Amino acid sequence: MADDARPQSVSGYEIFRSAEAPSLDETAHMEVTGMNPEFQAGITKALEAGFAEGNVVKTLFSRPGFSLTYAWFKSGFPLPLHTHNADCLYYIVAGSLHLGTEALGPGDGFFLPADKAYRYTPGPKGVEVLEFRTQEDFDINFLAKSLPAWEKIAAAVSARKPDWANETAPPSAVLA
C-alpha cells in the first residue's frame, strides 16, 4: 500500500477495510522475477487469452515484515507452478482447491516456506484464500519459462474464460 493509503492508526491499533483494498498490482508488493524473452512472450499470450480475468488479488494489509493478501481464483484457474521468496500461510475462506492429492475447503489451509514450488487448482466454485506472508514485498517466480508451457496455460484459460464471465466468488464475508 502507498503510505497515504495505509490503514488509519486508532489508539494503538490499525483498521483496514476490504472494500478499500487496492489490487496487489496497484501496491507493487509482488515482483515477477526470472523473466526471459520466451517467458515474456508466453505470459503475454496467457494475458491475451484472459489470464487476468480468472483471478482477483487484493492487498488487505501490509507493513514491513508482514502482509495479508486476499485472492479469489475462479473455477479451474490454471495457477502455474511458482515460488515466492517469503514464507506464506494460506487459509481457505470459501470454495475449495486441490493441492497435490489433497482436497481442501473452508477452514483448511497450508503453509509453504520461502522458495517452495507449488500450484493448486481451484475447485468447481473457485476458491477464496487469505495469504499471510512474512514480508511486505515479495517475489513470484513462475517456473514455466518456455513458450510452449505458457501456450498450454493460455489454452486452459481460453477454455475456462466463458465460464468465468458469470462466475461469482464463493459466499464469504471477506469482500462483501
Side-chain angles (χ1 to χ4, degrees), residues 88-124:
C88 191
L89 178 66
Y90 293 80
Y91 177 81
I92 300 166
V93 176
S96 62
L97 63 81
H98 282 86
L99 176 68
T101 60
E102 297 293 325
L104 304 174
D108 295 336
F110 56 99
F111 172 80
L112 292 168
D115 301 315
K116 171 66 177 160
Y118 77 104
R119 75 172 139 229
Y120 56 80
T121 303

Side-chain angles (χ1 to χ4, degrees), residues 136-149:
E136 180 175 33
D137 298 319
F138 52 93
D139 72 15
I140 185 166
N141 181 15
F142 291 109
L143 300 182
K145 303 289 187 200
S146 70
L147 184 56

Side-chain angles (χ1 to χ4, degrees), residues 1 6 24 27-31 59 61-69 84-89 112-115 131-140:
M1 280 183 194
R6 294 245 188 228
L24 184 58
T27 64
H29 287 309
M30 186 171 71
E31 176 186 359
T59 300
F61 183 84
S62 67
R63 282 282 177 263
F66 184 83
S67 64
L68 174 59
T69 304
H84 298 287
N85 64 338
D87 292 344
C88 191
L89 178 66
L112 292 168
D115 301 315
E131 303 174 354
F132 300 84
R133 285 200 176 79
T134 57
Q135 293 182 27
E136 180 175 33
D137 298 319
F138 52 93
D139 72 15
I140 185 166

Side-chain angles (χ1 to χ4, degrees), residues 147-158:
L147 184 56
W150 280 98
E151 287 173 335
K152 184 177 177 182
I153 292 166
V157 166
S158 292

